Amino acid sequence: MTSVYTMDEPDERNRLDAMAQGVIGKPLDRLEGPLKVSGKATYAAEYRIPNCVEGVLVTATIARGQVTAIDDEAVLQMPGVIAVLSDDRMTARAAQGGAGKSPVRKVRDVQYYGQPVALVVAKTFEQARHAAKHLRIRYREEPDPLVDPEDERATFEPFEDPTVQGDLDQAMDAAAHAVDVVYTTEGHNSAAMEPHASIAEWDGKTLTLHSSLQMLRFNRKELADALGLDADNVRLASPYVGGGFGSKLGISPEGAAASVAAITLKRPVRVVLLRQQVFQCIMRRSETRQRLRLAADAEGRLIGFGHEAWVSNLPEEEFAEPVLQASEFLYPGDDRKLDLEVTRIHRVTAGSVRAPGEAVGMQALEGAMDELALAMEIDPVELRLRNIPERHPTLDIPYSSRKLEECLRKGAERFDWDGADRTPCKKREGDWWIGTGMATATRVHNLNKAEARVTFRADGSVEVASDMTDIGTGTYTVLQQIAAEMLGVDPGRVEVHLGDTDFPPGSGSGGSWGAASTGSAVFQACEGIRSKLAAKLGCAEDELTLKDGHAVTGNRRIAIADLLGDEALTEHARFKPGKITEAFAAAMYGAFFAEVAVNVYSGEVRVRRFTGAFSMGRVLNAKTATSQCMGGMVWGIGSALTEELAFDQRDGHIVNPDLAEYHVPVNLDVPHLDVLLVEERDPAGSPLQAKGVGELGICGAAGAIANAIHHACGVRVRSFPITPDKVLAGLPEV
Amino acid sequence: MPLTINGTDHDFTGDPRTTLLDFLRDGCGLTGTKKGCDHGQCGACTVLVNGQRINSCLTLAVMHEGDAVTTIEGFGTPEELHPLQEAFVRHDGFQCGYCTPGQICSAKAMLDEAANGWASFVSDDITAPVSLTRDEIRERMSGNLCRCGAYSNIVDAIAEVVEAGR
Ligand code: FES
Ligand code: FES
């Protein structure tokens, strides 16, 4: 029997606070930490499977056209080469997050440069790589493919119904202060450190795939759909995932290719993407162009708010970078216009990259807010404080717990923020202009269906199982803590098994919903176990205290193992977000404060100090939550200063498809990151009173840096990333 | 072709195109050493060869006749961690863990380089003995990318080991 918790209303019980073990929220070390630091955690490509052969994908070198021939004869003569496959079950793209069905498959119908068209299989990796390099593919190329959103042939269409309220133009005219600006951001790549990798095994009926994936319950359906198998005959295993950041939400081309090869050749096949292929054929974050219109009254309260964005994707993709997601609820303004438009171009699939939407929308919005504060000559923090709406400006629903004001105030205090005089070029140290900037952080809170199984074993130890993944987010540890807290055992007595579709389907890791959703399923299962224990003791569940392996009620105290006898208790629970998701505008909030140095001659920017104050409901583990926030801030530094995909205007190929040319921040780019977790319980967030963590730290971070650059040297760059050439163009004479 | 890995004798007989990295991972089953880019751009494959850090993806196995290779498996076990490994766990110097073995191997060699007086890009005086300030650690660890963004904690972990060694 599966018990179900459908969340229709806020859960005000704060049950975790009523527990006695005292481990929830504590900064425990990662459960799987010792395995990871000793190289003993096994990632997808690292399973030793007898008789396994190696596949290397071959990708298209044109933007659009048909494969007319694959000259495989020559490579089939090469030593070790076993097969060349180009099969209709292979996938040409990565699946979008949550798709649950196969992505586009027709691999010989080329829609973008870098699309997989064939797989070469050989005995060894060296042989397969060599053969793949020499495989000749003939194409019928379509002339002049549309590969650039700036191309005059590109037409944009609304992605969804725009929000139009009142008359924004009129509000802009009537405003005491107005800002009307255009910001742009470039494409990003998730660039997880572990390249996408799969090993497929086929036993004639069941396909087992060791793969690096974020959301197994969806991925299983996606792969089954691609292969024409029943989902029950697909087993996925991803116990350790070397980073995902959206790029492993859906199945990626190497997974289906390895599967097809394993089925065809009747032996295990491993396919690992080359780093260049990770860039070329998985996901990009779309570039964006964004127009922001802010109309404020004399006190700086927004009366009009406009945010329009233009993004791109391949034909047939049901995703457009949701740039306006935070703009829908963060700021007031009765006269509103929000409009997201997409154009179809032949570049690699655009999809989810850490914090889709807010990651780029917030940095532009917070830049524009800084411009408004400057125009009004008020402290940018004060401007934010004056613009915290009472209710959702469009839906007219209440906010759930929102600690934005606390984050702004506490962050400012911690950083020693002085916003009184924002005149640029006031401080110089040697060859460097010094300046500070701030921005608000926000990210919508998402929940997803999740199941988990919890077993209280007869020896008093606990086992938690779900196909949920831990992609570096700390899932193993927070689920351990939830179970330990609810069942009153030392965390060391809790085993957590994740990342295998043999376990109950969890929420998967995406949209920052993992801990709150799968954690709630674990919580629900633990409540079930507690009820059974209470029944054994003849007390009400809420009269039962579980602590240190003992059950206490009234004046009775009994060891759990004695209470259980020889019988283990197992509960299988399902968590479902119900009406709660419509009843409140639920989000995580925060505030960033950055100090930068801008080189007076070169325009080079160094981030010297970076503080983030964040509220995300109950913190389940202060250590891993802090790390998640830090990770987001590092991404903010990349987004602000260095990260951009460069596309060739002729054929849309990525010019910088590797880690040497696509610049993610390195250690020296990142100062000590100062993260402040603001205490919160959000009863509408989840039964745990927790919300999401993993993405908040990036949402607005780059805006704080851009604003600090302006404060330092007076150059307002509205084009991210803010590379030295853009700063240099406006630097004052020295 | 003989070489030692973590003190054990090994014999390489494979395809001469095999990188040291692929030999370690696939030939020897030492998958603690990670492949992030295969092009010397990320540091995930860092191992020690005769005590010095190198990107094992940028060198062929056949080039290491008689060399002594140390991988992360040669540091400590989950039950008995090396002080650097312990510090990484305590300071949460990783998230997904994929860059981590490379970071730890790199850190070990980096500490030795500093002890031997090797200057870096951020050293004020390249002839003076090295004092491993946080900026020195940051610079010297900048060949090891961490996309999870654990840098701040990595620096804390290494700084703690530096302190303990003083
Ligand atoms: S795998 Fe060797 S440096 Fe990236
Ligand atoms: S811990 Fe994930 S890349 Fe460093």
Side-chain angles (χ1 to χ4, degrees), chain A residues 183-186 188 285 288 290 292 307 323 326-327 355 357-371 384 438-442 592 632 635-641 643 698-707 716-722:
Chain A
Y183 277 77
T184 59
T185 65
E186 299 300 327
H188 295 155
R285 189 203 299 284
T288 72
Q290 307 179 40
L292 288 132
H307 195 171
V323 180
S327 293
E358 287 92 328
V360 283
M362 280 298 290
Q363 68 195 49
L365 172 57
E366 290 302 288
M369 284 293 279
D370 198 61
E371 298 193 57
R384 267 68 172 192
M438 60 78 53
T440 289
T442 192
F592 299 104
W635 278 57
I637 294 173
S639 185
L641 302 178
E643 288 188 42
I698 180 175
C699 302
I705 294 168
N707 298 340
R716 176 68 65 183
V717 183
R718 299 193 187 91
S719 149
F720 292 99
I722 306 176

Side-chain angles (χ1 to χ4, degrees), chain A residues 494-510:
Chain A
V494 181
E495 274 173 34
V496 183
H497 300 288
L498 300 179
D500 192 321
T501 50
D502 281 353
F503 303 137
S507 60
S509 304

Side-chain angles (χ1 to χ4, degrees), chain A residues 36 43 191-194 241-243 245 471-472, chain B residues 93-100 103 145-151 154:
Chain A
K36 283 180 173 171
Y43 296 81
M193 289 303 303
E194 180 206 18
V241 178
F245 315 112
I471 62 172
Chain B
F94 59 94
Q95 293 171 35
C96 78
Y98 200 76
C99 72
T100 315
Q103 301 276 2
L145 301 183
C146 175
R147 187 55 159 166
C148 294
Y151 297 129
I154 290 170

Side-chain angles (χ1 to χ4, degrees), chain A residues 125-431:
Chain A
F125 170 65
E126 290 75 22
Q127 291 164 338
R129 182 183 54 188
H130 185 69
K133 211 170 161 185
H134 288 85
L135 183 67
R136 220 167 126 222
I137 313 267
R138 292 174 205 267
Y139 303 96
R140 187 181 327 108
E141 209 173 334
E142 284 190 27
D144 297 325
L146 185 52
V147 296
D148 190 345
E150 304 279 308
D151 190 313
E152 56 193 21
R153 293 173 295 160
T155 52
F156 286 84
E157 289 186 357
F159 181 68
E160 57 211 352
D161 287 343
T163 301
V164 181
Q165 275 169 247
D167 187 339
L168 179 58
D169 291 332
Q170 213 172 51
M172 290 292 285
D173 287 343
H177 307 279
V179 166
D180 182 353
V181 285
V182 174
Y183 277 77
T184 59
T185 65
E186 299 300 327
H188 295 155
N189 188 280
S190 289
M193 289 303 303
E194 180 206 18
H196 299 61
S198 292
I199 305 175
E201 288 179 90
W202 171 247
D203 68 4
K205 178 159 179 274
T206 302
L207 191 278
T208 301
L209 196 74
H210 295 278
S211 191
S212 189
L213 294 163
Q214 294 179 225
M215 300 214 293
L216 301 192
R217 82 177 153 94
F218 299 93
N219 305 140
R220 182 184 212 181
K221 291 185 200 151
E222 289 152 9
L223 187 61
D225 186 23
L227 300 174
L229 295 176
D230 197 295
D232 289 342
N233 292 330
V234 171
R235 178 181 161 219
L236 301 178
S238 301
Y240 298 102
V241 178
F245 315 112
S247 73
K248 296 168 181 170
L249 286 173
I251 58 165
S252 42
E254 95 295 339
S259 303
V260 169
I263 291 169
T264 308
L265 303 173
K266 300 187 174 56
R267 63 193 293 183
V269 178
R270 173 169 78 164
V271 183
V272 183
L273 291 191
L274 312 178
R275 173 54 63 185
Q276 289 75 6
Q277 293 174 336
V278 173
F279 279 79
Q280 285 166 344
C281 67
I282 305 293
M283 290 283 174
R284 64 184 167 99
R285 189 203 299 284
S286 173
E287 72 293 328
T288 72
R289 188 158 56 85
Q290 307 179 40
R291 182 185 184 193
L292 288 132
R293 282 184 284 173
L294 305 174
D297 66 14
E299 278 76 51
R301 272 177 269 275
L302 290 168
I303 54 169
F305 183 94
H307 195 171
E308 294 151 271
W310 294 269
V311 302
S312 67
N313 207 342
L314 272 168
E316 294 176 70
E317 290 300 319
E318 295 165 10
F319 176 92
E321 180 75 19
V323 180
L324 315 178
Q325 208 153 247
S327 293
E328 285 167 15
F329 64 84
L330 180 59
Y331 292 126
D334 287 341
D335 296 297
R336 302 178 83 77
K337 180 170 184 197
L338 301 174
D339 187 15
L340 175 66
E341 304 204 344
V342 60
T343 187
R344 303 292 168 178
I345 58 170
H346 293 272
R347 284 182 182 173
V348 57
T349 320
S352 295
V353 176
R354 198 174 192 170
E358 287 92 328
V360 283
M362 280 298 290
Q363 68 195 49
L365 172 57
E366 290 302 288
M369 284 293 279
D370 198 61
E371 298 193 57
L372 180 62
L374 213 66
M376 296 185 56
E377 297 183 7
I378 66 169
D379 182 340
V381 172
E382 180 56 31
L383 178 67
R384 267 68 172 192
L385 290 171
R386 288 183 198 175
N387 284 288
I388 301 179
E390 289 289 314
R391 289 170 74 82
H392 189 293
T394 304
L395 302 174
D396 193 34
I397 54 174
Y399 293 91
S400 73
S401 172
R402 182 178 45 168
K403 298 272 183 199
L404 174 56
E405 180 176 343
E406 288 84 338
C407 290
L408 287 163
R409 293 193 191 283
K410 290 198 165 139
E413 188 186 314
R414 173 87 150 236
F415 183 81
D416 207 8
W417 170 257
D418 179 4
D421 180 2
R422 299 292 297 157
T423 316
C425 301
K426 278 285 187 70
K427 187 170 175 193
R428 189 168 155 180
E429 289 178 12
D431 290 345

Side-chain angles (χ1 to χ4, degrees), chain A residues 30 36-37 43 46 48 189-191 195 243 270 275 472 623 627-628 631 635 643 659 665 668 670 673, chain B residues 25-26 31 34-36 41 72 78 85 90 92 95-98 138-139 142 145 147-148 151-153 155:
Chain A
R30 280 173 206 262
K36 283 180 173 171
V37 297
Y43 296 81
E46 299 171 352
R48 303 259 276 174
N189 188 280
S190 289
R270 173 169 78 164
R275 173 54 63 185
K623 186 175 285 193
S627 290
Q628 290 283 285
W635 278 57
E643 288 188 42
L659 297 168
L668 192 62
V670 179
L673 298 174
Chain B
R25 280 169 68 82
D26 299 333
T31 54
K34 303 303 180 195
K35 186 189 284 192
Q41 303 169 342
I72 191 70
Q85 293 171 315
R90 207 163 34 248
D92 216 27
Q95 293 171 35
C96 78
Y98 200 76
R138 287 188 183 103
E139 161 58 17
S142 281
L145 301 183
R147 187 55 159 166
C148 294
Y151 297 129
S152 214
N153 291 342
V155 173

